[in-house]
Amino acid sequence: MSESIEIPSPLMEKIINLKIRPEESPIDVISRALEVLEDDDYIDEETAAEIEKGIEEFDRGIFTTEENMAKKIGL
């Protein structure tokens, strides 16, 4: 079933600003947003890559303890 709706200009601007690729259509943006809202475990590709990088660094012993971080920021 398809429905047509009128999207007010301010909302359409927000949708356009949420595009992650220039060719992404408004319906693609809305669909992606709905997937994120429906999926509690959703992690985007960039975040997943950063998590993986952090795990690899931790495994190699590259990390900062809370104590050292507190000293670094003056606490």
Side-chain angles (χ1 to χ4, degrees):
M1 180 172 105
S2 292
E3 293 283 332
S4 294
I5 62 168
E6 184 176 332
I7 300 175
S9 294
L11 180 55
M12 182 56 88
E13 288 175 24
K14 288 181 181 182
I15 292 169
I16 290 169
N17 288 333
L18 289 172
K19 285 184 171 188
I20 55 176
R21 294 181 312 279
E23 68 275 6
E24 195 171 28
S25 71
I27 195 68
D28 293 334
V29 174
I30 293 167
S31 295
R32 184 169 39 83
L34 289 173
E35 285 176 19
V36 171
L37 290 172
E38 291 174 342
D39 185 0
D40 292 339
D41 296 331
Y42 177 81
I43 298 176
D44 63 50
E45 291 177 26
E46 182 180 347
T47 302
E50 289 296 319
I51 291 170
E52 186 64 34
K53 179 182 170 187
I55 292 169
E56 290 171 3
E57 289 176 355
F58 179 80
D59 289 344
R60 291 194 318 259
I62 302 171
F63 58 87
T64 301
T65 63
E66 274 186 68
E67 185 178 305
N68 287 341
M69 184 58 71
K71 287 178 187 176
K72 185 175 182 176
I73 63 173
L75 296 178

